[in-house]
């Protein structure tokens, strides 16, 4: 058995100290050690994007990263997006535009979409489709998912305009 490593991470604003196996994937650490099961394990090979989280503000497929590599990082999971009981605009967009079917891919889709809107607040439809290429929905097409991201971009722009 491999010697365990100590890691310190901040997940959804809460600091955690853990002893982990060096080969423990970040997705398994989040789900099994911290109990944050909103991050899904789809393929374990980085093909589907269901495990997408943000590490230090960047979208990462957590099945491609060891927990020890996240030592010292700030991580946001789907559970950390809503604030004060209010859905993030992308979460709201998925609700309003029926951007989900079975919901398995939804956490990864939302995290990838939030990453896109953080980098490009007014993406075109083509840019949205390109940004979500690494996330697979096995239920249906992506039409309503794209509409959900457009809804969120519009809502975020209106809030930003109101703040100006």
């Amino acid at each position: 058995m491999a010697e365990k490593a100590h890691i310190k991470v901040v997940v959804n604003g809460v600091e955690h100290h853990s002893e982990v196996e060096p080969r423990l994937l970040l997705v398994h650490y989040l789900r099994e050690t911290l109990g944050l099961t909103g991050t899904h394990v789809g393929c374990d090979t980085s093909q589907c994007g269901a495990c997408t989280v943000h590490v230090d503000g960047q979208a990462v497929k957590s099945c491609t990263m060891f927990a020890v590599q996240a030592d010292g990082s700030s991580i946001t999971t789907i559970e950390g997006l809503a604030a004060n009981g209010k859905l993030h605009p992308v979460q709201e967009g998925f609700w309003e535009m029926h951007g989900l079917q079975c919901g398995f891919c939804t956490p990864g889709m939302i995290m990838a979409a939030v990453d896109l809107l953080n980098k490009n607040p007014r993406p075109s439809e083509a840019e949205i489709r390109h940004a979500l290429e690494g996330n697979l929905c096995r239920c249906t097409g992506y039409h309503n998912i794209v509409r959900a991201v457009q809804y969120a971009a519009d809502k975020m722009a209106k809030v930003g305009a109101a703040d100006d």
Side-chain angles (χ1 to χ4, degrees):
M1 178 178 267
E3 192 170 313
K4 291 189 174 187
H6 179 85
I7 64 168
K8 180 186 93 174
V9 292
V10 175
V11 181
N12 300 332
V14 178
E15 188 172 297
H16 297 273
H17 293 263
S18 302
E19 302 294 323
V20 299
E21 296 283 338
R23 295 182 58 171
L24 179 67
L25 293 174
L26 179 59
V27 67
H28 295 300
Y29 173 73
L30 295 170
R31 290 181 55 85
E32 296 160 16
T33 304
L34 301 184
L36 297 170
T37 57
T39 302
H40 293 165
V41 180
C43 64
D44 251 346
T45 59
S46 78
Q47 302 289 314
C48 74
C51 65
T52 303
V53 299
H54 294 175
V55 177
D56 294 328
Q58 299 294 315
V60 171
K61 292 179 180 177
S62 59
C63 76
T64 65
M65 183 175 190
F66 294 118
V68 295
Q69 293 175 298
D71 183 32
S73 295
S74 178
I75 300 166
T76 304
T77 69
I78 191 72
E79 292 94 340
L81 277 187
N84 302 319
K86 187 172 181 181
L87 294 177
H88 184 281
V90 176
Q91 292 173 306
E92 185 181 315
F94 271 70
W95 177 268
E96 292 294 331
M97 296 294 136
H98 308 284
L100 56 95
Q101 294 291 312
C102 78
F104 190 83
C105 71
T106 304
M109 287 282 186
I110 288 174
M111 297 306 287
V114 170
D115 185 59
L116 167 65
L117 295 179
N118 286 341
K119 294 174 182 170
N120 179 1
R122 300 297 293 167
S124 67
E125 180 178 338
E127 290 169 326
I128 293 169
R129 290 183 183 279
H130 180 71
L132 298 178
E133 282 180 351
N135 293 73
L136 301 178
C137 173
R138 294 176 174 93
C139 295
T140 184
Y142 295 81
H143 181 71
N144 286 351
I145 293 171
V146 171
R147 289 182 57 216
V149 178
Q150 291 170 323
Y151 173 96
D154 290 345
K155 181 163 185 167
M156 293 166 78
K158 288 176 187 169
V159 170
D163 291 343
D164 292 339

